[in-house]
Amino acid sequence: MEGKGEKVIIGMSGGVDSAVAAYLLKRDGYDVVGLFMHNWEEDDEGGACTAESDWEDVRAVSDKLGIPCYSVNFAKEYMDDVFEYFLSEYRAYRTPNPDVLCNRKVKFGAFRDYCMSIGAKKIATGHYCKRAGDMLLRAVDRNKDQSYFLNQVKTQQLDNVLFPIGGMTKPEVRELARQIGLTVADKKDSTGVCFIGERKFKKFLREFLPAQPGDIVDTSGKKVGVHDGLMYYTLGQRRGLDIGGVKGEVGRWFVLDKDVKNNRLVVSCGDESRLYSNMLVGHGLNIIGAFDMGKELRCTAKTRYRQADFSATFKPKGDGTCELYFDEPQRAVTPGQYAVLYLGERCLGGFEIDYAE
């Protein structure tokens, strides 16, 4: 058998993806152990994670598959390495992506280290992506591919990591779960980050960061409303502005810019051309696998998860920053998010966006 009894610990979330991944590992002959990561204390600061019910689902799946399962608390690591970063970015009026850092610091950091310390030969997750040697590849299901969120994971962190469902589509995963009788076969996918859960984002963030309301102004400087705090808004946002329509103009208000110095949210209506940029500058390039990123490179890229790839030219700078020039203008490139680079099916890695022009 493929696994030959080799011990593999799989991170189980309580969802269908990690459940099917565990099944596939056992089917292939691995000695499988499930490990549930408890990353947020629900009674701390009004958190809204569903850890208790997810743990119950993990136990039910493990019983069905006949594998042992355990729960390990990584809440401190998550608080120190992910949540504090999340807050600091919002304090700087940027829009962070905590899931990217969670993968690097917790799932392929603290979790991986813990598994190796207790004798695992390999670890596995239910991520939709694939590996080939030291390369990270997109999943077969391009709609569910999660390589974007792994762009900051170090090459060595992917050593001995298995992604059992990377070659399957989501419908295939659910159908297999039904066939083998898993109770989570039709469980709704989780969305957003754990610590916010189903709560309203503004309400949650207010508990940790003081709001500083200010004026909403149009491009001429005319006041058209009041914002709740610049941190609550992101470039291109249309919903939640609560400033009504504009007589005689076509289109909806959208966030154009943040005037941090004057605590003003700048909005526009109709013409979105000013939301588009031709290049971006960032820092913190992480390269996955052996590849020379020290010179100009033609590639494709994404600046947000649900975006189609666009063609671009990557240029490294001597001061540690990176530039990415787009073949066609891109909408609402947002500081704090990540520019992720691809060559065909291969995810080369990525870097954090500082600003766009």
Side-chain angles (χ1 to χ4, degrees), residues 125-192:
T125 73
H127 283 92
Y128 283 88
C129 54
K130 298 190 296 180
R131 286 185 61 227
D134 65 358
M135 296 185 295
L136 177 66
L137 307 178
R138 302 184 208 246
V140 166
D141 191 335
R142 293 290 281 268
N143 187 53
K144 298 297 292 184
D145 173 62
Q146 293 173 296
S147 60
Y148 178 92
F149 295 112
L150 271 63
N151 81 84
Q152 290 293 296
V153 174
K154 299 292 186 181
T155 303
Q156 60 269 27
Q157 290 180 300
L158 293 175
D159 288 346
N160 302 318
V161 174
L162 302 174
F163 297 116
I165 63 170
M168 302 177 69
T169 66
K170 184 73 177 200
E172 289 172 342
V173 168
R174 290 199 182 279
E175 179 56 30
L176 179 55
R178 295 185 194 103
Q179 291 176 9
I180 60 180
L182 297 182
T183 56
V184 295
D186 296 302
K187 184 177 179 178
K188 182 181 177 181
D189 289 342
S190 61
T191 58

Side-chain angles (χ1 to χ4, degrees), residues 141-296:
D141 191 335
R142 293 290 281 268
N143 187 53
K144 298 297 292 184
D145 173 62
Q146 293 173 296
S147 60
Y148 178 92
F149 295 112
L150 271 63
N151 81 84
Q152 290 293 296
V153 174
K154 299 292 186 181
T155 303
Q156 60 269 27
Q157 290 180 300
L158 293 175
D159 288 346
N160 302 318
V161 174
L162 302 174
F163 297 116
I165 63 170
M168 302 177 69
T169 66
K170 184 73 177 200
E172 289 172 342
V173 168
R174 290 199 182 279
E175 179 56 30
L176 179 55
R178 295 185 194 103
Q179 291 176 9
I180 60 180
L182 297 182
T183 56
V184 295
D186 296 302
K187 184 177 179 178
K188 182 181 177 181
D189 289 342
S190 61
T191 58
V193 281
C194 173
F195 52 76
I196 295 178
E198 299 300 321
R199 300 182 58 179
K200 296 293 185 182
F201 175 75
K202 284 185 181 180
K203 182 178 180 182
F204 175 84
L205 202 55
R206 262 192 210 109
E207 296 179 7
F208 298 90
L209 298 176
Q212 296 180 332
D215 292 341
I216 300 177
V217 300
D218 64 16
T219 52
S220 71
K222 177 184 176 182
K223 180 178 177 178
V224 295
V226 175
H227 67 75
D228 296 327
L230 293 179
M231 69 187 75
Y232 301 135
Y233 304 87
T234 189
L235 299 185
Q237 179 178 330
R238 295 190 184 96
R239 294 184 177 180
L241 299 179
D242 299 326
I243 52 178
V246 181
K247 185 177 181 181
E249 292 193 31
V250 178
R252 298 168 57 189
W253 288 111
F254 59 86
V255 175
L256 180 63
D257 197 7
K258 296 180 182 181
D259 178 0
V260 175
K261 181 179 179 180
N262 298 301
N263 192 29
R264 300 192 307 177
L265 188 70
V266 183
V267 297
S268 186
C269 187
D271 180 15
E272 295 191 1
S273 61
R274 290 178 62 183
L275 271 180
Y276 285 78
S277 53
N278 296 304
M279 63 87 69
L280 63 81
V281 177
H283 72 282
L285 174 65
N286 179 60
I287 306 167
I288 301 174
F291 195 85
D292 182 8
M293 297 291 285
K295 57 187 178 182
E296 185 173 308

Side-chain angles (χ1 to χ4, degrees), residues 316-330:
K317 310 301 287 185
D319 60 358
T321 63
C322 309
E323 296 177 348
L324 191 67
Y325 292 84
F326 320 144
D327 284 10
E328 297 180 358
Q330 298 298 312

